[in-house]
Amino acid sequence: MSDRGYRRPRPLSPLREHLRDTFWFAPTMGFVCVFVLWLVATELDDAIVTLLQREEAYDELGELIAFSQDAKTIVTTISSAMMTFIGVVFSISLVAVQMASGQLTPRVVRIFVRSRISKLTLTVFLATFLFSLLVLSSYESESDPRRVVSVPLVQSLLILVMLGLSLLLFVVYVSATLRLMQVGPVVDRIARDSLRVLGRMPRGPRGEDGPGPETARVMHEGRAGVLRDVNTARLVRAARRQDVVLRLLPRIGDFVVPGTPVLAVHGGPVPPPHRLRYTVSVSVERTLHQDLAFGLRQLADIALRALSTSVNDPTTAVQCLDRIVQFLAAVAHLPLGAVHHRDRDGRVRLVQDGPEWDDLVDLAFEEIRWCVAGSPQVSRRLMAGLDDLLLLVPEDRKKSLVRHRALLVQTVERTVPVTADREFALLPDRQGIG
């Protein structure tokens, strides 16, 4: 089979994704950039003062001193008010995120944590506060143009620019936070992230021969937790140097404890420990970096909460089914199951187990189907989604869809006693009840 379209794993991909799951990296980099910017602006201000004094342009220098003194009042106000502003804004935002997680699912908090606009806003706010303090330290008590050493002119202009940028980002950030409280944008974001994971999957052939007899196993060391991702590039490189094939035993998203096997070695001895270091990442919760099924898990969770008796919001469940059908339609013709990662010579070096088509279909529909009793809007949308997928998928993947369709009919027939109501509840409708 041809490997055309196969994407070799990127070495820094896990690190980049781990940093996106943090909220400290962007502000820290912002602090470093602000300090460098302040040093450059200070040098420019000193150069301007030196040039004007050399040219004996004391009148022009005096006007610059007067302007900087007027700007000092604004800088002082910014430095005293910015931290209070930051605290109020993000306190309100955290309340909004808490409400969204309570109404939808706690897993949506990761959307806020990974949001670029949230990190950019926090970074610019804190950078503006730090830069204002640095600018205040540059002001001198000397006002004589002949003896002044530095006039923070460029620095004052920069702090005004940063203030304007902060106000602009504040408007954008509030808009993004309000969207987080709406069901449509949240499920759309989950679907887009899931399709992005799908786009990063290798496109090599599936169903190849096994890697040969197993010769050794590597046990998990460290804390217990969910297998969030693996550094496939590092594992492929380690297997190539040892001339073996590695097979990842747990799936991405499985919970592993110390002492359980995580890697099987085929064709030789175990690679040295230093080559396997930092190849398996364990965390307290799943992420979408390499977890193809996690998006469906989130959509199903939101739908199940919407169908609970305490919430009773079938329209939200219908919106989740829209995105579930969209995702399954996207993977309908793609190879699923074990992924074979190859080295630069085209030899398989890492085998990584993944969900099969039936696994994804069961995850998407099984729990929701159990909760459709008494909600014709959801049963009609589920019936329409199954019918649409039956038209899209190849013949060998229709069995699981037919099974769920038959079970849905049985569920409605068992729980709805009136024939007319059963017929209504089983009528396919892409809007549920349009």
Side-chain angles (χ1 to χ4, degrees):
M1 282 188 179
S2 172
D3 287 329
R4 183 175 57 186
Y6 173 73
R7 300 184 182 184
R8 292 181 58 196
R10 294 177 292 182
L12 295 180
S13 181
L15 176 61
R16 181 174 59 252
E17 291 298 321
H18 292 181
L19 291 178
R20 283 200 63 187
D21 287 333
T22 65
F23 223 74
W24 59 266
F25 180 73
T28 302
M29 291 296 99
F31 290 156
V32 174
C33 294
V34 161
F35 192 75
V36 173
L37 180 63
W38 176 70
L39 291 177
V40 173
T42 301
E43 292 296 325
L44 290 176
D45 287 331
D46 294 345
I48 292 174
V49 171
T50 302
L51 176 62
L52 292 177
Q53 288 177 339
R54 187 185 304 120
E55 297 293 333
E56 296 185 352
Y58 297 119
D59 293 337
E60 290 80 358
L61 184 56
E63 293 177 358
L64 295 181
I65 294 174
F67 172 80
S68 66
Q69 291 298 325
D70 293 337
K72 183 178 180 181
T73 303
I74 301 176
V75 176
T76 304
T77 304
I78 293 173
S79 62
S80 60
M82 185 56 70
M83 283 305 296
T84 303
F85 182 64
I86 293 173
V88 171
V89 170
F90 279 88
S91 295
I92 297 174
S93 302
L94 291 177
V95 172
V97 171
Q98 185 178 11
M99 292 177 58
S101 65
Q103 293 174 356
L104 302 176
T105 172
R107 261 65 65 186
V108 302
V109 176
R110 63 171 295 279
I111 298 178
F112 175 80
V113 174
R114 291 174 61 88
S115 171
R116 289 187 174 92
I117 187 62
S118 299
K119 295 176 182 179
L120 179 61
T121 303
L122 178 62
T123 300
V124 172
F125 282 6
L126 293 176
T128 303
F129 172 71
L130 176 60
F131 196 76
S132 64
L133 296 181
L134 294 174
V135 172
L136 287 176
S137 67
S138 301
Y139 280 95
E140 298 181 6
S141 58
E142 181 63 56
S143 59
D144 188 351
R146 292 174 174 79
R147 292 185 295 179
V148 72
V149 176
S150 177
V151 178
L153 175 65
V154 176
Q155 300 173 58
S156 301
L157 293 176
L158 285 176
I159 192 63
L160 294 178
V161 171
M162 294 181 68
L163 175 62
L165 181 60
S166 299
L167 295 176
L168 177 62
L169 284 176
F170 169 70
V171 176
V172 177
Y173 174 75
V174 170
S175 176
T177 303
L178 291 176
R179 286 178 60 83
L180 183 62
M181 301 177 64
Q182 300 173 350
V183 177
V186 171
V187 297
D188 176 68
R189 174 66 180 273
I190 295 173
R192 286 189 288 110
D193 288 345
S194 300
L195 293 175
R196 194 173 296 116
V197 175
L198 189 64
R200 290 197 297 260
M201 289 180 57
R203 293 293 186 264
R206 305 294 204 276
E208 299 184 359
D209 295 336
E214 182 179 320
T215 55
R217 285 193 170 188
V218 178
M219 304 302 173
H220 174 59
E221 299 178 357
R223 64 173 182 171
V226 176
L227 181 61
R228 61 183 294 175
D229 57 39
V230 294
N231 193 326
T232 53
R234 190 176 177 90
L235 284 174
V236 168
R237 189 163 54 248
R240 182 176 184 275
R241 291 177 177 175
Q242 199 71 16
D243 195 22
V244 297
V245 178
L246 298 177
R247 179 166 56 90
L248 186 68
L249 296 176
R251 284 185 182 179
I252 299 296
D254 286 356
F255 191 87
V256 295
V257 297
T260 56
V262 291
L263 289 171
V265 185
H266 298 262
V270 177
H274 69 275
R275 293 181 181 173
L276 298 179
R277 192 175 298 134
Y278 307 120
T279 57
V280 177
S281 175
V282 172
S283 183
V284 295
E285 62 180 357
R286 298 167 68 176
T287 68
L288 269 171
H289 176 210
Q290 297 176 353
D291 197 340
L292 183 62
F294 187 46
L296 286 178
R297 177 71 273 167
Q298 294 180 81
L299 293 172
D301 284 347
I302 297 174
L304 291 173
R305 178 164 296 196
L307 292 174
S308 65
T309 55
S310 60
V311 178
N312 193 21
D313 183 11
T315 303
T316 294
V318 167
Q319 290 179 279
C320 293
L321 284 172
D322 292 340
R323 300 301 177 175
I324 288 173
V325 173
Q326 175 191 2
F327 179 79
L328 291 178
V331 302
H333 295 276
L334 297 181
L336 297 171
V339 180
H340 296 78
H341 299 279
R342 302 173 181 273
D343 60 16
R344 58 192 177 192
D345 297 325
R347 298 183 59 185
V348 175
R349 293 300 182 182
L350 174 64
V351 180
Q352 182 179 352
D353 192 20
E356 300 282 355
W357 168 256
D358 291 347
D359 300 327
L360 296 178
V361 172
D362 290 341
L363 174 59
F365 297 129
E366 185 71 28
E367 295 172 297
I368 297 176
R369 181 174 50 77
W370 286 34
C371 300
V372 299
S375 180
Q377 181 180 359
V378 181
S379 63
R380 287 160 63 97
R381 180 62 185 99
L382 182 53
M383 184 66 71
L386 290 170
D387 288 347
D388 288 341
L389 290 173
L390 284 170
L391 295 175
L392 295 173
V393 302
E395 195 65 33
D396 59 339
R397 291 187 173 180
K398 291 184 177 182
K399 182 178 179 180
S400 58
L401 297 173
V402 172
R403 169 181 168 270
H404 280 282
R405 193 182 191 282
L407 290 174
L408 175 61
V409 173
Q410 294 177 17
T411 300
V412 174
E413 289 179 345
R414 185 175 60 253
T415 56
V416 181
V418 181
T419 303
D421 291 341
R422 287 199 300 266
E423 294 176 353
F424 180 83
L426 292 175
L427 184 66
D429 187 346
R430 293 189 180 90
Q431 295 185 25
I433 300 177

